[in-house]
Amino acid sequence: MYNSQRKGRGQVSKLKGPGGADTLSARVEETLKEAIFSGTLRPGQPLRELRLARSLRVSQATVREALARMEQYGLVVRVPNKGSSVTNLSAREIRQRLRIRCALEELAAREASSHLTEDDLEELVRLVADIQEASASGSEFDRMRADLAFHRLIWQKSGNEILHGMLERLVTPLFAFLIVVEERIYEPEEERRSHEAIISALAGRDPDQICRVIRQHTLDCYRRYLGTEGEFEQPAPMLAS
């Protein structure tokens, strides 16, 4: 397993998000997500419901509900009779996820290209600017959040809720993992060009070009973990649209 090199294990002690009793579980979920993405909660770290409940000053049931939703997105692993822990990915698991991600994201982007409006394309451009702004400020958490929002918009515009959900569960833990191990994927200018290439391909609505750009973007993001697995550079298995 890969583990963060940061020293110590921080405690989650501040509840984030909007107020209101009806959003309490969602606030706990957002707080725990931010703790994972910031490295306060590390890959493989146990998530003790009672301890978290006391730290966040909420009920244990509220924490359990938040962890159940996070499990659906692949950020938490829950083992019967053992409890929950932060997802920890091995190099092999990363490669397996990437193979599936590439095929599914190519499909999502192809489908999205026929639904994206000019406003949607402008929103993607704005999100690239947000990524750049976060990179310039040194906030990896904000950069990751904007980057994930960029991809989520494409998944959403595919019009396929099942496909969107599958990508959420596959990709969100990968984003969290890279943040925790403090891996800089791109230099800011390379990152900008890579995302702009995706926007250009989507606007052009050429399925083959969309697949090539998505595949190259994914390959560049995770080349370190793919190693010598050259077969990944070939087109992912084509899924019918």
Side-chain angles (χ1 to χ4, degrees):
M1 298 286 184
Y2 288 101
N3 289 302
S4 169
Q5 299 301 310
R6 294 172 183 168
K7 297 183 181 296
R9 293 190 176 184
Q11 296 296 316
V12 181
S13 59
K14 185 178 180 181
L15 197 61
K16 299 182 181 296
D22 58 332
T23 64
L24 187 57
S25 178
R27 290 168 63 198
V28 170
E29 181 182 355
E30 288 305 307
T31 299
L32 295 177
K33 283 181 180 178
E34 182 165 342
I36 290 172
F37 284 120
S38 68
T40 301
L41 294 175
R42 300 148 64 94
Q45 182 171 342
L47 298 169
R48 310 296 187 196
E49 291 180 4
L50 182 57
R51 184 180 301 172
L52 288 171
R54 288 173 176 171
S55 178
L56 296 173
R57 298 181 180 179
V58 297
S59 71
Q60 194 169 343
T62 298
V63 171
R64 187 178 301 117
E65 181 181 347
L67 291 177
R69 284 199 299 268
M70 292 172 68
E71 181 185 22
Q72 294 177 358
Y73 289 103
L75 289 172
V76 168
V77 175
R78 306 181 82 191
V79 179
N81 302 318
K82 290 187 177 181
S84 303
S85 61
V86 180
T87 297
N88 196 8
L89 301 175
S90 67
R92 180 172 180 270
E93 288 168 329
I94 290 174
R95 288 193 293 270
Q96 290 174 337
R97 283 175 180 264
L98 288 175
R99 292 288 295 177
I100 301 171
R101 172 189 175 177
C102 203
L104 295 183
E105 194 150 27
E106 287 175 15
L107 173 60
R110 293 201 314 272
E111 294 290 336
S113 68
S114 62
H115 301 302
L116 287 166
T117 65
E118 289 300 318
D119 286 344
D120 293 329
L121 292 171
E122 289 178 8
E123 176 66 8
L124 289 173
V125 171
R126 186 190 67 77
L127 287 168
V128 173
D130 287 348
I131 294 170
Q132 293 295 291
E133 182 179 348
S135 292
S137 70
S139 173
E140 284 299 299
F141 176 73
D142 288 341
R143 189 201 61 76
M144 174 280 306
R145 185 163 50 187
D147 195 355
L148 191 52
F150 176 93
H151 290 277
R152 277 174 171 158
L153 178 55
I154 297 171
W155 306 340
Q156 179 186 357
K157 288 298 177 175
S158 73
N160 188 324
E161 294 181 2
I162 295 175
L163 179 60
H164 183 177
M166 292 173 70
L167 281 163
E168 283 279 2
R169 290 187 290 274
L170 277 168
V171 178
T172 304
L174 290 172
F175 272 77
F177 177 81
L178 287 178
I179 291 294
V180 171
V181 298
E182 302 176 296
E183 177 72 11
R184 167 63 69 175
I185 301 173
Y186 292 117
E187 290 303 316
E189 185 61 21
E190 293 174 324
E191 186 170 47
R192 180 187 63 77
R193 287 197 298 266
S194 181
H195 285 95
E196 287 180 348
I198 293 175
I199 297 173
S200 178
L202 290 168
R205 309 188 195 282
D206 179 341
D208 290 338
Q209 179 63 11
I210 289 170
C211 288
R212 283 193 294 270
V213 169
I214 291 292
R215 192 180 315 120
Q216 189 62 50
H217 178 80
T218 306
L219 178 64
D220 289 344
C221 284
Y222 300 95
R223 192 178 296 275
R224 168 183 171 183
Y225 301 104
L226 294 170
T228 58
E229 294 209 356
E231 75 274 9
F232 188 84
E233 301 190 31
Q234 301 302 317
M238 187 62 70
L239 297 176
S241 60

